[in-house]
Amino acid sequence: MAAIAASSAKRSLRTELKQRLRALSAEERLRQSHLLTQKVIAHSQYQNSKRISIFLSMQDEIETEEIIKDIFKQGKICFIPRYRFQSNHMDMVRLASPEEISLLPKTSWNIHQPSEGDVREEALSTGGLDLIFMPGLGFDKDGNRLGRGKGYYDTYLKRCLQHQKVKPYTLALAFKEQICPQVPVDEHDMKVDEVLYEDASAS
């Protein structure tokens, strides 16, 4: 029964969060994204990480473009998600340069990603990841995350634990409008180590 209750609570919270995100102006989105980019660049976990996975942002997510440019500027290795739409399987594949992003084909979600036939280095087969930037619709201060319901990241994090000795640090990037008093969870949900948003004190 608990699972059914969690699933229905998640559904209604998703609807509410999507409305909140739609109400954000483009200026406000950019302002918070810029602020979080500064926080990320100053963050010790980011500075100490060499192999980083980061999402290419959708319209209602924190803009990650500047962080991606910084990853290359700092000589770190950048991996981006490649989703398989028929399943909840996702790989993190290596990005050659920030400029390459706009040349990648677009998915039905309007996100750029390398096509299935595009052979690239896959993070888990070449040494794993130090840091994973986590997207999501909502978060609470305990690190509970509400995704979009497909389970890509939860499934991927479980694979990371099988492939590498040290779990990657997970850092969520959120608008302050995405912070909830409490996010409903079930046993498949993986917590994030830290949620970065405008009012969170930088560690």
Short mmCIF file of all heavy atoms in Angstrom, two decimals, residues 105-169:
data_model
loop_
_atom_site.label_atom_id
_atom_site.label_comp_id
_atom_site.label_asym_id
_atom_site.label_seq_id
_atom_site.Cartn_x
_atom_site.Cartn_y
_atom_site.Cartn_z
N PRO A 105 22.53 15.13 -32.38
CA PRO A 105 21.10 15.05 -32.70
C PRO A 105 20.24 15.31 -31.48
O PRO A 105 20.69 15.10 -30.35
CB PRO A 105 20.93 13.60 -33.19
CG PRO A 105 22.17 12.87 -32.83
CD PRO A 105 23.25 13.87 -32.58
N LYS A 106 19.00 15.76 -31.71
CA LYS A 106 18.09 16.04 -30.59
C LYS A 106 17.13 14.87 -30.38
O LYS A 106 16.68 14.26 -31.35
CB LYS A 106 17.27 17.31 -30.87
CG LYS A 106 18.01 18.56 -30.51
CD LYS A 106 17.09 19.76 -30.54
CE LYS A 106 17.79 20.98 -29.94
NZ LYS A 106 16.91 22.14 -29.94
N THR A 107 16.80 14.61 -29.13
CA THR A 107 15.85 13.55 -28.81
C THR A 107 14.43 14.12 -28.83
O THR A 107 14.23 15.32 -28.98
CB THR A 107 16.10 13.02 -27.39
OG1 THR A 107 15.79 14.08 -26.47
CG2 THR A 107 17.54 12.60 -27.18
N SER A 108 13.47 13.24 -28.57
CA SER A 108 12.07 13.69 -28.53
C SER A 108 11.85 14.66 -27.36
O SER A 108 10.85 15.38 -27.31
CB SER A 108 11.14 12.48 -28.39
OG SER A 108 11.55 11.71 -27.29
N TRP A 109 12.76 14.66 -26.36
CA TRP A 109 12.64 15.61 -25.24
C TRP A 109 13.32 16.93 -25.58
O TRP A 109 13.49 17.78 -24.72
CB TRP A 109 13.32 15.07 -23.99
CG TRP A 109 12.74 13.82 -23.47
CD1 TRP A 109 11.53 13.27 -23.77
CD2 TRP A 109 13.35 12.94 -22.51
NE1 TRP A 109 11.36 12.10 -23.08
CE2 TRP A 109 12.45 11.88 -22.30
CE3 TRP A 109 14.56 12.95 -21.82
CZ2 TRP A 109 12.73 10.83 -21.42
CZ3 TRP A 109 14.84 11.91 -20.96
CH2 TRP A 109 13.92 10.86 -20.76
N ASN A 110 13.82 17.03 -26.83
CA ASN A 110 14.50 18.25 -27.24
C ASN A 110 15.85 18.43 -26.53
O ASN A 110 16.29 19.54 -26.29
CB ASN A 110 13.61 19.46 -26.96
CG ASN A 110 13.78 20.50 -28.05
OD1 ASN A 110 14.28 20.17 -29.13
ND2 ASN A 110 13.40 21.72 -27.78
N ILE A 111 16.49 17.30 -26.18
CA ILE A 111 17.83 17.38 -25.57
C ILE A 111 18.81 16.81 -26.59
O ILE A 111 18.52 15.83 -27.26
CB ILE A 111 17.95 16.47 -24.31
CG1 ILE A 111 16.81 16.70 -23.33
CG2 ILE A 111 19.27 16.70 -23.60
CD1 ILE A 111 16.89 15.77 -22.14
N HIS A 112 19.98 17.43 -26.68
CA HIS A 112 21.02 16.89 -27.55
C HIS A 112 21.61 15.65 -26.89
O HIS A 112 21.91 15.67 -25.70
CB HIS A 112 22.14 17.91 -27.73
CG HIS A 112 21.74 19.09 -28.55
ND1 HIS A 112 21.64 19.05 -29.92
CD2 HIS A 112 21.41 20.37 -28.19
CE1 HIS A 112 21.28 20.24 -30.38
NE2 HIS A 112 21.12 21.05 -29.36
N GLN A 113 21.80 14.58 -27.68
CA GLN A 113 22.57 13.46 -27.15
C GLN A 113 23.15 12.66 -28.31
O GLN A 113 22.57 12.63 -29.39
CB GLN A 113 21.73 12.57 -26.22
CG GLN A 113 20.76 11.62 -26.88
CD GLN A 113 20.17 10.60 -25.87
OE1 GLN A 113 20.09 10.85 -24.68
NE2 GLN A 113 19.74 9.47 -26.39
N PRO A 114 24.32 12.03 -28.08
CA PRO A 114 24.93 11.24 -29.15
C PRO A 114 23.99 10.11 -29.55
O PRO A 114 23.31 9.53 -28.71
CB PRO A 114 26.19 10.67 -28.49
CG PRO A 114 26.46 11.55 -27.32
CD PRO A 114 25.13 12.03 -26.85
N SER A 115 23.95 9.81 -30.85
CA SER A 115 23.04 8.74 -31.30
C SER A 115 23.57 7.38 -30.84
O SER A 115 24.74 7.24 -30.48
CB SER A 115 22.93 8.78 -32.82
OG SER A 115 24.22 8.53 -33.37
N GLU A 116 22.69 6.38 -30.89
CA GLU A 116 23.04 5.02 -30.43
C GLU A 116 24.28 4.48 -31.15
O GLU A 116 25.11 3.80 -30.57
CB GLU A 116 21.87 4.06 -30.67
CG GLU A 116 20.83 4.06 -29.55
CD GLU A 116 21.39 3.64 -28.19
OE1 GLU A 116 22.23 2.72 -28.15
OE2 GLU A 116 21.01 4.25 -27.17
N GLY A 117 24.37 4.79 -32.46
CA GLY A 117 25.48 4.24 -33.24
C GLY A 117 26.80 4.99 -33.07
O GLY A 117 27.84 4.59 -33.60
N ASP A 118 26.77 6.09 -32.33
CA ASP A 118 27.95 6.93 -32.13
C ASP A 118 28.79 6.30 -31.01
O ASP A 118 28.44 6.37 -29.84
CB ASP A 118 27.44 8.33 -31.74
CG ASP A 118 28.56 9.33 -31.57
OD1 ASP A 118 29.73 8.92 -31.50
OD2 ASP A 118 28.25 10.53 -31.47
N VAL A 119 29.90 5.65 -31.40
CA VAL A 119 30.71 4.91 -30.41
C VAL A 119 31.55 5.89 -29.60
O VAL A 119 32.34 6.65 -30.15
CB VAL A 119 31.62 3.88 -31.11
CG1 VAL A 119 32.47 3.14 -30.08
CG2 VAL A 119 30.76 2.90 -31.90
N ARG A 120 31.33 5.88 -28.28
CA ARG A 120 32.07 6.80 -27.41
C ARG A 120 32.52 6.09 -26.15
O ARG A 120 31.94 5.09 -25.76
CB ARG A 120 31.13 7.94 -26.96
CG ARG A 120 30.85 8.90 -28.08
CD ARG A 120 29.87 9.97 -27.67
NE ARG A 120 29.66 10.82 -28.83
CZ ARG A 120 30.10 12.07 -28.92
NH1 ARG A 120 30.71 12.63 -27.92
NH2 ARG A 120 29.89 12.77 -30.02
N GLU A 121 33.51 6.68 -25.51
CA GLU A 121 33.95 6.15 -24.22
C GLU A 121 32.78 6.20 -23.23
O GLU A 121 32.09 7.22 -23.13
CB GLU A 121 35.11 7.00 -23.70
CG GLU A 121 35.59 6.56 -22.34
CD GLU A 121 36.69 7.47 -21.79
OE1 GLU A 121 37.40 8.12 -22.59
OE2 GLU A 121 36.82 7.53 -20.56
N GLU A 122 32.54 5.11 -22.53
CA GLU A 122 31.46 5.04 -21.55
C GLU A 122 32.09 5.05 -20.16
O GLU A 122 33.02 4.29 -19.89
CB GLU A 122 30.65 3.76 -21.81
CG GLU A 122 29.25 3.77 -21.23
CD GLU A 122 29.24 3.52 -19.72
OE1 GLU A 122 29.83 2.53 -19.28
OE2 GLU A 122 28.65 4.33 -19.00
N ALA A 123 31.59 5.94 -19.30
CA ALA A 123 32.26 6.21 -18.01
C ALA A 123 32.55 4.95 -17.19
O ALA A 123 33.64 4.78 -16.66
CB ALA A 123 31.43 7.19 -17.19
N LEU A 124 31.57 4.07 -17.06
CA LEU A 124 31.74 2.94 -16.15
C LEU A 124 32.73 1.90 -16.68
O LEU A 124 33.29 1.13 -15.92
CB LEU A 124 30.40 2.26 -15.85
CG LEU A 124 29.43 3.11 -15.02
CD1 LEU A 124 28.17 2.33 -14.68
CD2 LEU A 124 30.06 3.64 -13.75
N SER A 125 32.95 1.90 -17.99
CA SER A 125 33.88 0.90 -18.51
C SER A 125 35.32 1.42 -18.52
O SER A 125 36.25 0.68 -18.81
CB SER A 125 33.47 0.46 -19.91
OG SER A 125 33.31 1.58 -20.73
N THR A 126 35.52 2.68 -18.17
CA THR A 126 36.90 3.23 -18.20
C THR A 126 37.30 3.86 -16.87
O THR A 126 38.12 4.76 -16.84
CB THR A 126 37.05 4.29 -19.31
OG1 THR A 126 36.07 5.33 -19.07
CG2 THR A 126 36.82 3.71 -20.68
N GLY A 127 36.70 3.42 -15.78
CA GLY A 127 37.18 3.95 -14.49
C GLY A 127 36.14 4.64 -13.64
O GLY A 127 36.44 5.14 -12.56
N GLY A 128 34.90 4.71 -14.13
CA GLY A 128 33.84 5.27 -13.28
C GLY A 128 33.83 6.79 -13.22
O GLY A 128 34.44 7.46 -14.05
N LEU A 129 33.10 7.32 -12.24
CA LEU A 129 32.89 8.77 -12.13
C LEU A 129 33.21 9.23 -10.72
O LEU A 129 33.01 8.49 -9.75
CB LEU A 129 31.43 9.10 -12.45
CG LEU A 129 31.01 8.94 -13.91
CD1 LEU A 129 29.50 8.82 -14.03
CD2 LEU A 129 31.52 10.11 -14.76
N ASP A 130 33.68 10.48 -10.60
CA ASP A 130 33.91 11.06 -9.27
C ASP A 130 32.70 11.85 -8.81
O ASP A 130 32.41 11.94 -7.62
CB ASP A 130 35.12 12.03 -9.33
CG ASP A 130 36.37 11.33 -9.83
OD1 ASP A 130 36.61 10.17 -9.43
OD2 ASP A 130 37.09 11.94 -10.66
N LEU A 131 32.02 12.48 -9.78
CA LEU A 131 30.93 13.40 -9.43
C LEU A 131 29.84 13.28 -10.49
O LEU A 131 30.12 13.24 -11.68
CB LEU A 131 31.50 14.83 -9.42
CG LEU A 131 30.53 16.00 -9.26
CD1 LEU A 131 29.84 15.96 -7.90
CD2 LEU A 131 31.27 17.34 -9.40
N ILE A 132 28.60 13.21 -10.01
CA ILE A 132 27.46 13.20 -10.94
C ILE A 132 26.54 14.35 -10.58
O ILE A 132 26.07 14.46 -9.44
CB ILE A 132 26.66 11.87 -10.83
CG1 ILE A 132 27.55 10.67 -11.21
CG2 ILE A 132 25.42 11.92 -11.72
CD1 ILE A 132 26.82 9.32 -11.14
N PHE A 133 26.30 15.24 -11.54
CA PHE A 133 25.32 16.30 -11.35
C PHE A 133 23.95 15.70 -11.63
O PHE A 133 23.73 15.10 -12.69
CB PHE A 133 25.59 17.48 -12.28
CG PHE A 133 26.74 18.33 -11.82
CD1 PHE A 133 27.98 18.22 -12.43
CD2 PHE A 133 26.58 19.22 -10.77
CE1 PHE A 133 29.05 19.01 -11.99
CE2 PHE A 133 27.64 20.00 -10.33
CZ PHE A 133 28.87 19.89 -10.93
N MET A 134 23.02 15.88 -10.69
CA MET A 134 21.72 15.22 -10.78
C MET A 134 20.62 16.21 -11.16
O MET A 134 20.43 17.23 -10.48
CB MET A 134 21.35 14.64 -9.41
CG MET A 134 22.35 13.65 -8.87
SD MET A 134 22.23 12.03 -9.67
CE MET A 134 20.69 11.43 -8.99
N PRO A 135 19.88 15.92 -12.22
CA PRO A 135 18.71 16.73 -12.50
C PRO A 135 17.55 16.20 -11.65
O PRO A 135 17.68 15.19 -10.96
CB PRO A 135 18.46 16.46 -13.98
CG PRO A 135 18.93 15.05 -14.18
CD PRO A 135 20.07 14.84 -13.20
N GLY A 136 16.41 16.85 -11.71
CA GLY A 136 15.23 16.37 -10.99
C GLY A 136 14.16 17.44 -11.02
O GLY A 136 14.44 18.59 -11.37
N LEU A 137 12.96 17.06 -10.65
CA LEU A 137 11.87 18.05 -10.61
C LEU A 137 11.78 18.71 -9.24
O LEU A 137 11.47 19.88 -9.13
CB LEU A 137 10.54 17.35 -10.91
CG LEU A 137 10.12 17.28 -12.36
CD1 LEU A 137 8.82 16.52 -12.48
CD2 LEU A 137 9.95 18.68 -12.96
N GLY A 138 12.05 17.91 -8.19
CA GLY A 138 11.94 18.47 -6.84
C GLY A 138 12.91 17.78 -5.90
O GLY A 138 13.34 16.65 -6.14
N PHE A 139 13.27 18.49 -4.83
CA PHE A 139 14.21 17.96 -3.85
C PHE A 139 13.78 18.44 -2.47
O PHE A 139 13.15 19.49 -2.35
CB PHE A 139 15.63 18.49 -4.10
CG PHE A 139 16.12 18.22 -5.50
CD1 PHE A 139 15.92 19.15 -6.51
CD2 PHE A 139 16.79 17.04 -5.81
CE1 PHE A 139 16.36 18.90 -7.80
CE2 PHE A 139 17.24 16.79 -7.10
CZ PHE A 139 17.02 17.71 -8.09
N ASP A 140 14.19 17.68 -1.44
CA ASP A 140 14.04 18.26 -0.10
C ASP A 140 15.43 18.38 0.52
O ASP A 140 16.43 17.94 -0.06
CB ASP A 140 13.05 17.47 0.77
CG ASP A 140 13.50 16.04 1.07
OD1 ASP A 140 14.73 15.77 1.01
OD2 ASP A 140 12.64 15.20 1.37
N LYS A 141 15.49 18.98 1.72
CA LYS A 141 16.79 19.29 2.30
C LYS A 141 17.51 18.05 2.81
O LYS A 141 18.69 18.09 3.15
CB LYS A 141 16.63 20.34 3.40
CG LYS A 141 16.23 21.68 2.78
CD LYS A 141 15.96 22.76 3.79
CE LYS A 141 15.54 24.04 3.06
NZ LYS A 141 15.03 25.07 3.95
N ASP A 142 16.80 16.91 2.86
CA ASP A 142 17.45 15.66 3.28
C ASP A 142 18.06 14.91 2.09
O ASP A 142 18.57 13.81 2.25
CB ASP A 142 16.43 14.74 3.96
CG ASP A 142 15.92 15.35 5.26
OD1 ASP A 142 16.72 16.02 5.93
OD2 ASP A 142 14.73 15.15 5.59
N GLY A 143 17.97 15.51 0.90
CA GLY A 143 18.58 14.85 -0.26
C GLY A 143 17.64 13.90 -0.99
O GLY A 143 18.06 13.18 -1.90
N ASN A 144 16.37 13.90 -0.61
CA ASN A 144 15.41 13.09 -1.38
C ASN A 144 15.10 13.80 -2.69
O ASN A 144 14.96 15.03 -2.71
CB ASN A 144 14.13 12.86 -0.58
CG ASN A 144 14.38 11.98 0.63
OD1 ASN A 144 14.98 10.91 0.51
ND2 ASN A 144 13.97 12.43 1.81
N ARG A 145 15.01 13.03 -3.75
CA ARG A 145 14.86 13.62 -5.08
C ARG A 145 13.62 13.06 -5.77
O ARG A 145 13.36 11.88 -5.71
CB ARG A 145 16.12 13.27 -5.89
CG ARG A 145 16.05 13.49 -7.37
CD ARG A 145 17.36 13.07 -8.06
NE ARG A 145 17.15 13.03 -9.50
CZ ARG A 145 16.72 11.97 -10.16
NH1 ARG A 145 16.47 10.84 -9.54
NH2 ARG A 145 16.56 12.02 -11.48
N LEU A 146 12.89 13.97 -6.42
CA LEU A 146 11.76 13.56 -7.25
C LEU A 146 12.18 13.72 -8.70
O LEU A 146 12.39 14.83 -9.17
CB LEU A 146 10.53 14.44 -6.94
CG LEU A 146 9.27 14.10 -7.74
CD1 LEU A 146 8.68 12.78 -7.27
CD2 LEU A 146 8.22 15.20 -7.59
N GLY A 147 12.32 12.59 -9.41
CA GLY A 147 12.70 12.66 -10.82
C GLY A 147 11.46 12.79 -11.68
O GLY A 147 10.38 13.14 -11.19
N ARG A 148 11.62 12.47 -12.94
CA ARG A 148 10.48 12.59 -13.86
C ARG A 148 9.73 11.27 -14.00
O ARG A 148 8.86 11.14 -14.84
CB ARG A 148 10.99 13.08 -15.22
CG ARG A 148 11.44 14.52 -15.12
CD ARG A 148 12.15 15.05 -16.35
NE ARG A 148 12.76 16.33 -16.04
CZ ARG A 148 12.15 17.50 -16.19
NH1 ARG A 148 10.93 17.57 -16.65
NH2 ARG A 148 12.78 18.62 -15.85
N GLY A 149 10.12 10.29 -13.20
CA GLY A 149 9.33 9.06 -13.15
C GLY A 149 9.85 7.91 -13.99
O GLY A 149 9.27 6.84 -14.01
N LYS A 150 10.98 8.12 -14.68
CA LYS A 150 11.50 7.05 -15.53
C LYS A 150 12.53 6.18 -14.80
O LYS A 150 12.81 5.06 -15.21
CB LYS A 150 12.15 7.64 -16.79
CG LYS A 150 11.18 8.34 -17.71
CD LYS A 150 10.50 7.36 -18.66
CE LYS A 150 9.82 8.04 -19.81
NZ LYS A 150 8.55 8.63 -19.49
N GLY A 151 13.16 6.73 -13.76
CA GLY A 151 14.12 5.94 -12.99
C GLY A 151 15.51 5.83 -13.60
O GLY A 151 16.31 5.00 -13.20
N TYR A 152 15.83 6.67 -14.60
CA TYR A 152 17.15 6.57 -15.24
C TYR A 152 18.29 6.72 -14.23
O TYR A 152 19.23 5.94 -14.22
CB TYR A 152 17.31 7.66 -16.31
CG TYR A 152 16.56 7.41 -17.60
CD1 TYR A 152 15.48 8.20 -17.97
CD2 TYR A 152 16.95 6.39 -18.45
CE1 TYR A 152 14.80 7.99 -19.16
CE2 TYR A 152 16.28 6.17 -19.66
CZ TYR A 152 15.20 6.97 -20.00
OH TYR A 152 14.54 6.74 -21.18
N TYR A 153 18.23 7.78 -13.44
CA TYR A 153 19.36 8.06 -12.54
C TYR A 153 19.44 7.07 -11.39
O TYR A 153 20.54 6.66 -11.01
CB TYR A 153 19.29 9.51 -12.04
CG TYR A 153 19.94 10.47 -13.01
CD1 TYR A 153 19.23 11.00 -14.08
CD2 TYR A 153 21.28 10.83 -12.89
CE1 TYR A 153 19.82 11.85 -15.00
CE2 TYR A 153 21.89 11.68 -13.80
CZ TYR A 153 21.17 12.19 -14.86
OH TYR A 153 21.77 13.02 -15.76
N ASP A 154 18.31 6.68 -10.82
CA ASP A 154 18.35 5.70 -9.73
C ASP A 154 18.99 4.40 -10.22
O ASP A 154 19.82 3.80 -9.55
CB ASP A 154 16.93 5.42 -9.20
CG ASP A 154 16.34 6.66 -8.52
OD1 ASP A 154 17.07 7.33 -7.78
OD2 ASP A 154 15.16 6.96 -8.75
N THR A 155 18.59 3.97 -11.41
CA THR A 155 19.14 2.74 -11.98
C THR A 155 20.63 2.89 -12.26
O THR A 155 21.43 1.99 -12.01
CB THR A 155 18.39 2.40 -13.30
OG1 THR A 155 16.99 2.49 -13.06
CG2 THR A 155 18.70 1.01 -13.78
N TYR A 156 21.01 4.06 -12.77
CA TYR A 156 22.42 4.29 -13.11
C TYR A 156 23.29 4.30 -11.85
O TYR A 156 24.38 3.72 -11.84
CB TYR A 156 22.58 5.61 -13.88
CG TYR A 156 23.98 5.76 -14.43
CD1 TYR A 156 24.37 5.08 -15.58
CD2 TYR A 156 24.92 6.55 -13.78
CE1 TYR A 156 25.66 5.19 -16.08
CE2 TYR A 156 26.22 6.65 -14.27
CZ TYR A 156 26.59 5.97 -15.42
OH TYR A 156 27.88 6.06 -15.90
N LEU A 157 22.81 4.94 -10.80
CA LEU A 157 23.60 4.99 -9.56
C LEU A 157 23.81 3.60 -8.99
O LEU A 157 24.88 3.29 -8.46
CB LEU A 157 22.91 5.88 -8.52
CG LEU A 157 23.02 7.38 -8.80
CD1 LEU A 157 22.17 8.18 -7.82
CD2 LEU A 157 24.47 7.85 -8.71
N LYS A 158 22.81 2.74 -9.13
CA LYS A 158 22.99 1.36 -8.64
C LYS A 158 24.07 0.65 -9.46
O LYS A 158 24.87 -0.11 -8.93
CB LYS A 158 21.65 0.60 -8.71
CG LYS A 158 20.66 1.15 -7.68
CD LYS A 158 19.37 0.33 -7.61
CE LYS A 158 18.44 0.85 -6.53
NZ LYS A 158 17.43 1.79 -7.00
N ARG A 159 24.11 0.94 -10.77
CA ARG A 159 25.18 0.35 -11.60
C ARG A 159 26.56 0.88 -11.20
O ARG A 159 27.54 0.15 -11.18
CB ARG A 159 24.93 0.66 -13.08
CG ARG A 159 24.03 -0.36 -13.75
CD ARG A 159 23.68 0.02 -15.18
NE ARG A 159 24.83 0.20 -16.04
CZ ARG A 159 24.89 1.09 -17.04
NH1 ARG A 159 23.86 1.88 -17.29
NH2 ARG A 159 25.95 1.18 -17.79
N CYS A 160 26.63 2.16 -10.86
CA CYS A 160 27.91 2.74 -10.42
C CYS A 160 28.45 1.97 -9.22
O CYS A 160 29.64 1.69 -9.12
CB CYS A 160 27.73 4.20 -9.99
SG CYS A 160 27.48 5.32 -11.35
N LEU A 161 27.55 1.65 -8.29
CA LEU A 161 27.97 0.96 -7.06
C LEU A 161 28.53 -0.43 -7.39
O LEU A 161 29.38 -0.93 -6.67
CB LEU A 161 26.80 0.84 -6.08
CG LEU A 161 26.23 2.18 -5.60
CD1 LEU A 161 25.05 1.99 -4.66
CD2 LEU A 161 27.30 3.01 -4.92
N GLN A 162 28.06 -1.04 -8.47
CA GLN A 162 28.58 -2.36 -8.85
C GLN A 162 29.93 -2.24 -9.57
O GLN A 162 30.75 -3.14 -9.52
CB GLN A 162 27.60 -3.08 -9.79
CG GLN A 162 26.29 -3.45 -9.11
CD GLN A 162 25.16 -3.70 -10.11
OE1 GLN A 162 25.34 -3.54 -11.32
NE2 GLN A 162 24.00 -4.09 -9.61
N HIS A 163 30.16 -1.11 -10.23
CA HIS A 163 31.34 -0.98 -11.09
C HIS A 163 32.54 -0.30 -10.43
O HIS A 163 33.65 -0.42 -10.90
CB HIS A 163 31.00 -0.19 -12.37
CG HIS A 163 30.34 -1.02 -13.41
ND1 HIS A 163 28.99 -1.32 -13.36
CD2 HIS A 163 30.82 -1.65 -14.52
CE1 HIS A 163 28.68 -2.08 -14.41
NE2 HIS A 163 29.77 -2.28 -15.11
N GLN A 164 32.29 0.52 -9.43
CA GLN A 164 33.42 1.26 -8.86
C GLN A 164 33.43 1.14 -7.34
O GLN A 164 32.39 0.99 -6.72
CB GLN A 164 33.41 2.72 -9.32
CG GLN A 164 32.10 3.47 -9.13
CD GLN A 164 32.16 4.86 -9.76
OE1 GLN A 164 31.71 5.07 -10.87
NE2 GLN A 164 32.71 5.82 -9.04
N LYS A 165 34.63 1.21 -6.78
CA LYS A 165 34.76 0.99 -5.32
C LYS A 165 34.18 2.14 -4.52
O LYS A 165 33.55 1.95 -3.50
CB LYS A 165 36.24 0.80 -4.95
CG LYS A 165 36.85 -0.49 -5.51
CD LYS A 165 38.28 -0.65 -5.01
CE LYS A 165 38.96 -1.87 -5.62
NZ LYS A 165 39.24 -1.71 -7.06
N VAL A 166 34.44 3.33 -5.01
CA VAL A 166 33.96 4.51 -4.28
C VAL A 166 32.74 5.08 -5.00
O VAL A 166 32.79 5.33 -6.21
CB VAL A 166 35.06 5.59 -4.20
CG1 VAL A 166 34.59 6.81 -3.43
CG2 VAL A 166 36.31 5.00 -3.56
N LYS A 167 31.67 5.30 -4.27
CA LYS A 167 30.45 5.82 -4.88
C LYS A 167 30.70 7.25 -5.37
O LYS A 167 31.33 8.05 -4.66
CB LYS A 167 29.35 5.81 -3.80
CG LYS A 167 28.03 6.40 -4.23
CD LYS A 167 27.09 6.47 -3.03
CE LYS A 167 25.93 7.39 -3.29
NZ LYS A 167 26.30 8.79 -3.53
N PRO A 168 30.24 7.59 -6.57
CA PRO A 168 30.40 8.98 -7.03
C PRO A 168 29.62 9.92 -6.09
O PRO A 168 28.58 9.54 -5.56
CB PRO A 168 29.77 9.00 -8.42
CG PRO A 168 29.35 7.61 -8.74
CD PRO A 168 29.46 6.77 -7.52
N TYR A 169 30.14 11.13 -5.92
CA TYR A 169 29.42 12.14 -5.13
C TYR A 169 28.29 12.65 -6.02
O TYR A 169 28.49 12.90 -7.21
CB TYR A 169 30.37 13.27 -4.76
CG TYR A 169 29.81 14.21 -3.72
CD1 TYR A 169 29.86 13.87 -2.37
CD2 TYR A 169 29.26 15.44 -4.08
CE1 TYR A 169 29.35 14.73 -1.40
CE2 TYR A 169 28.74 16.30 -3.12
CZ TYR A 169 28.80 15.94 -1.78
OH TYR A 169 28.29 16.79 -0.82
#
